[in-house]
């Protein structure tokens, strides 16, 4: 019980028909596989459990469930309560190229029926996967059709609209990262607190955008966009950067002979005529990307200030002692560096009442 | 009839783990429901009741990839109270290749054995392994298994399983051709315990009629030594008599021991001491049949010639060549004393009981000379040792103190009280001091083979740590026990304590 206060444990089910792409997604996001490599993966026999530590204060219990008929039958019958209790999130993967639409839908209906029975407050993420197999012109139509159908089934089984989210994904582009970013964002216990701190930092730096990335998965944790960034036409820029960072990891691993999971960098800078960008390590588990206007002085000041602010953000990963106010201003943090207890990776506090879980 | 069923299961990319073929049909349930039990207790409608349910154990038969390649045995509580307990032996295999739809092919040939408590599981384990490896090779060579599109319980694989089960149950071996290149050869070998080590001073004695089993194709050394195995000759002596290498002789004896053809005794001598064991009361003291058996065995009136020394385990008749097949009357078997009175079972037991620690066979004979007049003493003692109610009390010697005229010992230091007799120095350096050199000149007695005296004492020293019985010392050094005792008593080697145990 104590452990769950310090480090939130979240049970995530990953289900879908056999060959839908569940294990492939899991290995790309969490095990540093490249999209080409997943061709070599074998079928998942029964359930593969993984415990993934995210951001230092979130422990994902990911259940990658084999999709063959006999396994699904087992989950729905003799393992029903074991599988479907205490679920935070169900990620259901539809293979958009599947020829057995009716039976896919049936399987989905039975699954969420069991989910509703044991975890009625859980959230369902439906991923319409393998979108790369659909010609570009038809992508949106097909996606909308599927979404309508599936939504109807969800309502039938008792899930309200807010509980279900839809995403179109493919392992060959950044849409995969977008979908999983949303899943993670939903699960992080202190997202609001992080956003508040980032917001204040952005004000101080006068940055255009601040994006927080998780180090090993390169997924976006959250981002702050100020002023006129809403007009930015590249709505998927964050996950594109995720993809770029991931690819960079793999290149580094290939050329230095290290494992992809060990690769990291200290700082990367991009300077163009219209903006300046740098990404640097913020805490043990996160990288911060800062987009600055085209001003050398502001840019350098921002770099220095981010270095100073690092210690304050270390609190994101460790437990706050009771009674301390976490909503400090960055100024206070800079002045009172001595008070900060350093980065001893210990327990983590539960911040931000997003949901009662 | 140990194998109740054989089945072949695999991982199907769409359906998951499933049974493809099973022999006999319906012995493995493929659904979760237990069949309804009618009044007679067997499941209605099928010829034999189902033994196990596949879905409940499928995760062990088609396990995740990392568990494949291992022998897995399952013992599951029976389906119904009337179903007998069974043991499932399986060897799942996972083959990785891009040719397969999901890059992998997982399959399993499993045996269902009945009465696991009484069958020899180990021999079936090797059957399962061999079958799995053969199937793996077949699959790798010619996609034998993954190309099988036959209807369940038909086709090549099914008939293979069927034949395998029948042949193993009926003949304990099978030879099934699979295609023109491959044959399945399987034989059930009984697993026997590892034999105890054979020492040169052990005496082997046959427990089977070996001449009925031997033919000219047997190993040369074996053929040579067999005539000399008579319960009298030690292993070293057999090697000498048969002109065979001692190591090879030992190996042959070990083989015979492993297959239960011989048992090992000790060298019989009149200096030996024997004593009753704890089983004495439960064996010959109570068992009249054993007493009669003993009488028949030791009575010199029926003695066979020296070459025919065999004892058949728990056989009441004796192997004879000069005895007619007349059945002996009960009272004729009892040996007679010197004065002509028969010794009955009680007398025999008393004779055995009179053996004790500290009493050599010679002394025991002297005490009972009259009674032992018509009893073959060696056979008498041997009977007791074989049955296990008499044991041989061996003698050991421990060197406690170096002698004053110390024999030069490797690396000796004056005043060194460490028990250097416990270490066997391999050094070829010898420190000869003045004393010993002069001593050598004086006492230059050589034994039969012309080896200087002190050299022999040197070798005796190595054995004086209390773990080598006199039989061993005498056999290794080829001296008599009397000579050994003389040397020990003479204090040339220092003080030695003799222990009997």
């Amino acid at each position: 019980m104590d452990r769950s206060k310090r480090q939130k444990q979240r049970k995530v089910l990953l289900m879908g028909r056999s060959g839908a792409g569940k294990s492939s997604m899991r290995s790309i996001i969490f095990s540093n596989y490249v999209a080409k490599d997943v061709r070599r993966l074998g079928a998942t026999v029964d359930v593969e459990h993984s415990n993934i530590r995210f951001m230092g204060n979130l422990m994902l219990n990911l259940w990658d469930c084999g999709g063959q008929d006999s396994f699904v039958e087992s989950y729905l019958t003799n393992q029903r309560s074991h599988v479907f209790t205490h679920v935070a999130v169900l990620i259901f993967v539809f293979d958009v190229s599947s020829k057995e639409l009716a039976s896919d839908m049936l399987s989905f209906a039975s699954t969420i029926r069991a989910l509703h029975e044991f975890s009625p407050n859980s959230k369902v993420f439906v991923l319409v996967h393998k979108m790369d197999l659909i010609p570009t012109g038809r992508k949106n139509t097909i996606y909308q059709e599927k979404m309508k159908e599936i939504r109807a089934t969800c309502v039938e089984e008792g899930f309200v609209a807010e509980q279900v989210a839809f995403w179109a994904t493919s392992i060959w582009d950044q849409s995969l990262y977008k979908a999983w970013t949303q899943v993670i964002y939903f699960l992080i216990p202190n997202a609001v607190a992080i956003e508040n701190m980032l917001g204040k930092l952005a004000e101080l730096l006068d940055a255009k955008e601040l994006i927080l990335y998780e180090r090993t998965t390169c997924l976006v944790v959250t981002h702050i966009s100020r002023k006129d960034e809403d007009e930015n036409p590249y709505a998927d820029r964050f996950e594109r950067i995720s993809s770029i960072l991931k690819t960079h990891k793999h290149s580094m691993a290939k050329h230095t002979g290290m494992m992809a999971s060990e690769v990291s960098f200290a700082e990367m800078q991009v300077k163009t005529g219209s903006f300046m960008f740098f990404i640097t390590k913020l805490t043990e588990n996160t990288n911060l990307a800062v987009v600055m206007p085209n001003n050398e002085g502001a840019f350098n000041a921002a770099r220095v200030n981010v270095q100073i602010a690092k210690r304050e953000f270390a609190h994101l990963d460790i437990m706050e002692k009771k009674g301390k106010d976490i909503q400090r201003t960055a100024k206070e943090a800079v002045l009172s560096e001595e008070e900060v207890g350093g980065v001893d990776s210990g327990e983590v506090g539960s911040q931000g009442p997003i949901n009662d879980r | 009839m140990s194998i109740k069923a054989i089945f072949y299961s695999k991982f199907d990319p769409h359906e998951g783990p499933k049974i493809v073929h099973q022999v006999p049909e319906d012995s493995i349930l493929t659904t979760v429901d237990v069949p309804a039990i009618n009044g007679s207790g067997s499941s209605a409608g099928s010829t034999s009741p189902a033994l196990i349910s596949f879905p409940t154990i499928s995760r062990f038969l088609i396990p995740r990839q990392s568990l494949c390649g291992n022998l897995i045995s399952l013992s599951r509580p029976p389906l119904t109270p009337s179903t007998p307990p069974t043991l499932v032996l399986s060897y799942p295999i996972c083959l990785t290749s891009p040719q397969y739809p999901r890059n992998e092919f997982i399959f399993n040939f499993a045996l269902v054995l009945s009465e696991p408590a009484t069958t020899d599981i180990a021999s079936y384990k090797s059957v399962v392994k061999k079958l799995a490896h053969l199937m793996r090779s077949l699959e790798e060579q010619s996609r034998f298994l993954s190309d099988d599109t036959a209807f369940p319980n038909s086709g090549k694989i099914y008939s293979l399983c069927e034949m395998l089960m029948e042949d193993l149950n009926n003949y304990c071996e099978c030879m099934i051709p699979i295609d023109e290149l491959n044959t399945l050869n399987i034989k059930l070998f009984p697993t026997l315990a590892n034999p105890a080590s054979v020492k040169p001073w052990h005496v082997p004695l046959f427990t089977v009629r070996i001449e009925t089993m031997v033919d000219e194709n047997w190993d040369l050394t074996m053929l040579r030594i067999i005539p000399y195995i008579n319960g009298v000759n030690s292993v070293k002596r057999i090697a000498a008599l048969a002109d065979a290498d001692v190591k090879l002789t030992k190996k042959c004896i070990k083989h015979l021991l492993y297959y239960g053809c011989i048992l090992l005794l000790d060298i019989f001598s009149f200096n030996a001491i024997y004593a009753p064991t704890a089983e004495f009361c439960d064996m010959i003291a109570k068992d009249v049949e054993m007493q009669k058996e003993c009488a028949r065995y030791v009575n010199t009136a029926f003695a066979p010639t020296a070459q025919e020394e065999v004892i058949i385990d728990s056989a009441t008749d004796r192997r004879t060549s000069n005895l007619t097949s007349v059945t002996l009357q009960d009272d004729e078997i009892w040996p007679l004393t010197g004065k002509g009175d028969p010794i009955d079972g009680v007398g025999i037991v008393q004779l055995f009981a009179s053996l004790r620690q500290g009493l050599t066979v010679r002394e025991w004979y002297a005490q009972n000379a009259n009674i032992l007049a018509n009893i073959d003493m060696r056979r008498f003692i041997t009977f007791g040792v074989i049955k296990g109610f008499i044991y041989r009390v061996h003698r050991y010697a421990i060197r406690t103190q170096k002698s004053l005229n110390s024999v030069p010992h490797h690396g000796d230091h004056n005043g060194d009280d460490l028990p250097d007799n416990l270490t066997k120095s391999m050094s070829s350096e010898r420190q000869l001091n003045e004393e010993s050199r002069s001593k050598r000149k004086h006492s230059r007695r050589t034994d039969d083979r012309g080896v200087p005296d002190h050299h022999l004492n040197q070798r005796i020293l190595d054995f004086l740590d209390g773990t080598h019985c006199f039989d061993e010392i005498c056999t290794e050094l080829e001296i008599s026990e009397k000579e050994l005792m003389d040397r020990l008593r003479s204090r040339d080697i220092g003080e030695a304590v003799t222990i009997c145990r």
Side-chain angles (χ1 to χ4, degrees):
Chain A
M1 286 307 136
D2 252 341
R3 232 182 113 67
S4 65
K5 279 212 155 57
R6 300 201 294 255
Q7 190 179 69
K8 285 295 182 183
Q9 300 242 2
R10 299 283 186 248
K11 177 170 164 179
V12 176
L13 296 182
L14 183 55
M15 296 183 124
R17 297 303 293 281
S18 68
K22 311 177 284 296
S23 301
S24 305
M25 282 201 278
R26 174 172 67 90
S27 39
I28 291 178
I29 301 275
F30 297 110
S31 306
N32 286 305
Y33 272 57
V34 183
K36 269 193 314 193
D37 294 342
V38 302
R39 217 184 304 239
R40 292 188 278 115
L41 284 175
T44 313
V45 177
D46 213 4
V47 180
E48 291 258 358
H49 297 270
S50 22
N51 283 314
I52 300 158
R53 204 187 157 113
F54 204 83
M55 285 273 299
N57 60 352
L58 172 66
M59 180 68 92
L60 288 179
N61 296 336
L62 185 63
W63 293 43
D64 181 4
C65 307
Q68 277 74 15
D69 297 341
S70 65
F71 294 135
V72 173
E73 201 182 307
S74 163
Y75 306 144
L76 294 174
T77 50
N78 51 349
Q79 292 190 65
R80 202 177 171 96
S81 64
H82 171 65
V83 173
F84 289 104
T85 36
H86 295 125
V87 176
V89 165
L90 164 70
I91 304 174
F92 200 92
V93 183
F94 276 93
D95 180 352
V96 79
S97 66
S98 151
K99 304 282 187 289
E100 303 163 13
L101 300 172
S103 98
D104 285 356
M105 200 57 72
L106 261 176
S107 174
F108 176 67
S110 331
T111 308
I112 58 171
R113 192 175 309 138
L115 182 69
H116 189 76
E117 200 181 310
F118 291 96
S119 307
N121 295 324
S122 54
K123 179 138 180 173
V124 179
F125 284 87
V126 175
L127 302 186
V128 181
H129 196 53
K130 302 195 187 174
M131 290 299 288
D132 50 284
L133 297 173
I134 309 287
T136 327
R138 298 199 25 110
K139 274 197 203 270
N140 206 24
T141 1
I142 297 205
Y143 174 58
Q144 295 295 334
E145 270 175 36
K146 283 227 90 82
M147 195 159 78
K148 212 166 87 176
E149 246 188 282
I150 299 169
R151 204 188 284 281
T153 315
C154 290
V155 171
E156 265 174 37
E157 300 296 339
F159 281 93
V160 297
E162 297 80 53
Q163 277 179 290
V164 187
F166 291 85
W167 299 96
T169 54
S170 160
I171 58 172
W172 297 102
D173 60 38
Q174 66 279 1
S175 56
L176 180 68
Y177 295 102
K178 177 78 182 175
W180 281 83
T181 297
Q182 300 305 313
V183 174
I184 299 295
Y185 182 75
F186 176 74
L187 294 169
I188 290 180
N190 55 349
V192 171
I194 299 173
E195 274 163 2
N196 284 338
M197 289 178 78
L198 280 180
K200 294 198 160 74
L201 182 63
E203 293 287 338
L204 284 170
L205 298 178
D206 197 28
K208 287 181 160 194
E209 267 186 333
L210 285 184
I211 315 147
L212 193 63
Y213 287 95
E214 203 272 341
R215 273 163 72 77
T216 36
T217 58
C218 301
L219 291 177
V220 174
V221 178
T222 183
H223 68 90
I224 301 289
S225 303
R226 294 174 66 231
K227 301 179 199 165
D228 43 0
E229 285 314 303
D230 299 334
E231 289 152 23
N232 193 324
Y234 296 98
D236 58 357
R237 56 192 181 278
F238 308 114
E239 45 274 12
R240 281 193 192 233
I241 296 177
S242 285
S243 180
I244 291 169
L245 290 173
K246 214 59 199 271
T247 318
H248 174 260
K249 259 193 197 245
H250 287 112
S251 305
M252 288 288 289
K254 198 165 84 167
H255 292 292
T256 59
M258 288 158 64
M259 298 278 295
S261 47
E262 297 165 355
V263 170
S264 62
F265 54 83
E267 186 171 332
M268 177 163 32
Q269 293 181 10
V270 176
K271 289 182 182 174
T272 73
S274 45
F275 68 90
M276 293 189 178
F277 169 93
F278 72 93
I279 178 165
T280 181
K281 168 179 162 172
L282 188 66
T283 69
E284 276 303 308
N285 298 300
T286 53
N287 287 334
L288 183 69
V290 180
V291 183
M292 298 293 296
N294 197 2
N295 179 340
E296 191 76 32
F299 180 74
N300 290 328
R303 285 179 60 229
V304 173
N305 281 329
V306 166
Q307 292 295 320
I308 297 172
K310 269 189 192 178
R311 281 225 201 144
E312 178 55 29
F313 280 89
H315 277 193
L316 295 173
D317 290 353
I318 59 176
M319 172 147 116
E320 285 294 336
K321 297 179 187 61
K322 285 195 180 150
K324 253 199 193 167
D325 182 17
I326 22 147
Q327 309 276 12
R328 287 181 183 193
T329 59
K331 207 158 77 172
E332 269 181 85
V334 167
L335 290 176
S336 57
E337 273 177 85
E338 292 84 352
E339 282 181 23
V340 174
V343 189
D344 48 304
S345 61
E347 311 137 4
V348 174
S350 67
Q351 320 289 348
I354 301 180
N355 274 325
D356 53 299
R357 286 182 221 124
Chain B
M1 306 308 116
S2 292
I3 305 180
K4 277 285 200 288
I6 298 184
F7 62 93
Y8 161 61
S9 54
K10 70 173 191 184
F11 182 82
D12 182 278
H14 300 290
E15 296 172 49
K18 69 178 218 185
I19 291 192
V20 185
H21 303 297
Q22 52 174 292
V23 172
E25 299 189 22
D26 291 333
S27 53
I28 322 287
L29 285 180
T30 48
T31 63
V32 190
D33 307 315
V34 179
I37 307 171
N38 59 16
S40 65
S42 63
S43 66
S46 58
T47 48
S48 58
L51 298 166
I52 51 176
S53 155
F54 181 71
T56 40
I57 54 172
S58 66
R59 66 162 53 130
F60 303 109
L61 291 172
I62 305 288
R64 58 187 75 229
Q65 292 84 346
S66 40
L67 269 180
C68 290
N70 297 304
L71 182 79
I72 295 181
S73 66
L74 304 173
S75 167
R76 196 166 153 74
L79 270 187
T80 65
S82 57
T83 331
T86 53
L87 182 73
V88 179
L89 288 179
S90 71
Y91 200 101
I93 296 216
C94 173
L95 289 171
T96 315
S97 159
Q99 292 173 323
Y100 299 118
R102 295 299 295 272
N103 296 320
E104 283 164 351
F105 180 66
I106 305 177
F107 69 91
N108 193 349
F109 278 88
L111 260 57
V112 181
L113 300 176
S114 64
E115 289 158 32
T118 51
T119 46
D120 181 9
I121 306 290
S123 51
Y124 287 102
K125 281 186 184 175
S126 44
V127 170
V128 170
K129 267 192 230 177
K130 191 165 183 180
L131 184 60
H133 286 307
L134 179 70
M135 286 301 153
R136 185 205 183 112
S137 311
L138 281 176
E139 173 62 24
E140 281 168 350
Q141 287 166 15
S142 57
R143 305 282 297 267
F144 180 69
L145 296 173
S146 45
D147 281 349
D148 169 55
T149 47
F151 202 69
N153 295 337
S154 69
K156 264 195 148 227
I157 300 177
Y158 174 75
S159 48
L160 180 76
C161 294
E162 206 177 18
M163 267 196 279
L164 182 66
M165 185 167 123
E166 277 174 25
D167 286 353
L168 280 185
N169 276 338
N170 295 329
Y171 310 114
C172 289
E173 63 181 32
C174 76
M175 193 187 81
I176 307 172
I178 299 177
D179 53 28
E180 63 270 4
L181 294 171
N182 297 295
T183 318
L184 178 64
N185 287 308
I186 291 194
K187 187 177 161 94
L188 288 171
F189 284 101
T191 32
L192 300 163
N194 283 334
S197 76
V198 172
K199 304 289 183 197
W201 61 93
H202 285 157
V203 175
L205 177 65
F206 276 117
T207 57
V208 298
R209 290 176 212 262
I210 196 71
E211 65 280 357
T212 58
M213 303 176 194
V214 182
D215 59 39
E216 64 270 7
N217 294 319
W218 278 39
D219 178 75
L220 280 178
T221 311
M222 188 74 89
L223 288 175
R224 275 220 209 145
I225 64 170
I226 282 177
Y228 299 102
I229 298 178
N230 58 6
V232 180
N233 294 323
S234 66
V235 170
K236 188 154 186 187
R237 188 147 173 73
I238 291 173
L241 288 172
D243 193 23
D245 180 60
V246 178
K247 280 209 187 77
L248 291 179
T249 310
K250 275 211 266 189
K251 266 203 172 159
C252 290
I253 303 283
K254 218 170 178 177
H255 273 77
L256 289 171
L257 189 63
Y258 177 74
Y259 286 106
C261 302
I262 61 171
L263 36 86
L264 296 179
L265 307 170
D266 58 282
I267 301 174
F268 179 80
S269 82
F270 281 96
N271 259 337
I273 299 176
Y274 294 88
T277 65
E279 283 90 41
F280 189 84
C281 331
D282 294 325
M283 293 189 98
I284 194 152
K286 282 191 189 148
D287 189 349
V288 181
E289 281 310 312
M290 198 184 281
Q291 293 162 9
K292 290 186 188 168
E293 193 185 337
C294 181
R296 275 188 286 263
Y297 188 61
V298 306
N299 198 336
T300 51
F302 313 131
T305 59
Q307 262 65 44
E308 294 159 339
E309 282 298 326
V310 170
I311 186 166
I312 310 288
D313 203 13
S314 74
T316 49
D317 63 333
R318 278 173 13 159
R319 221 185 66 91
T320 58
S321 71
N322 54 2
L323 192 67
T324 61
S325 54
V326 171
T327 50
L328 305 159
Q329 298 301 321
D330 258 0
D331 37 350
E332 286 175 2
I333 57 170
W334 304 115
L336 305 174
T337 66
K339 300 191 182 119
D341 310 313
I343 308 159
D344 60 353
V346 175
I348 288 181
V349 174
Q350 279 175 333
L351 268 180
F352 274 118
S354 63
L355 289 164
R356 61 172 198 281
Q357 276 93 348
L359 186 74
T360 63
V361 174
R362 180 179 293 114
E363 290 159 7
W364 173 71
Y365 174 73
Q367 286 173 4
N368 300 293
N370 177 40
I371 307 174
L372 290 170
N374 286 314
I375 290 181
D376 182 329
M377 255 186 303
R378 190 188 57 80
R379 287 186 140 220
F380 190 80
I381 302 288
T382 308
F383 186 88
V385 173
I386 292 172
K387 293 294 181 183
F389 55 83
I390 297 281
Y391 77 101
R392 168 78 190 278
V393 180
H394 285 283
R395 286 202 197 88
Y396 301 82
I398 301 180
R399 183 157 167 250
T400 52
Q401 207 180 326
K402 293 202 302 278
S403 74
L404 298 169
N405 309 328
S406 58
V407 177
H409 194 63
H410 310 298
D412 226 20
H413 299 287
N414 280 335
D416 181 0
D417 278 336
L418 284 175
D420 44 45
N421 53 303
L422 291 174
T423 61
K424 295 191 184 180
S425 169
M426 297 295 284
S427 162
S428 56
E429 290 171 10
R430 286 159 138 234
Q431 281 174 21
L432 299 175
N433 52 23
E434 297 289 331
E435 273 185 280
S436 62
R437 213 175 280 153
S438 60
K439 194 164 164 46
R440 253 199 302 162
K441 283 190 195 137
H442 288 307
S443 56
R444 197 142 188 122
R445 278 184 350 255
T446 63
D447 60 22
D448 301 321
R449 292 177 335 285
V451 175
D453 193 37
H454 71 270
H455 182 63
L456 186 59
N457 283 346
Q458 204 59 56
R459 295 176 66 196
I460 293 178
L461 270 178
D462 294 334
F463 286 111
L464 296 185
D465 63 356
T467 60
H468 305 275
C469 61
F470 275 22
D471 275 7
E472 178 179 352
I473 303 176
C474 295
T475 314
E476 292 290 336
L477 300 179
E478 295 179 9
I479 56 178
S480 71
E481 197 170 307
K482 179 172 185 307
E483 186 178 345
L484 176 64
M485 290 297 295
D486 286 342
R487 283 172 189 275
L488 288 178
R489 271 192 223 110
S490 73
R491 307 281 170 104
D492 276 345
I493 317 176
E495 251 185 59
V497 174
T498 312
I499 297 172
C500 299
R501 65 173 163 91

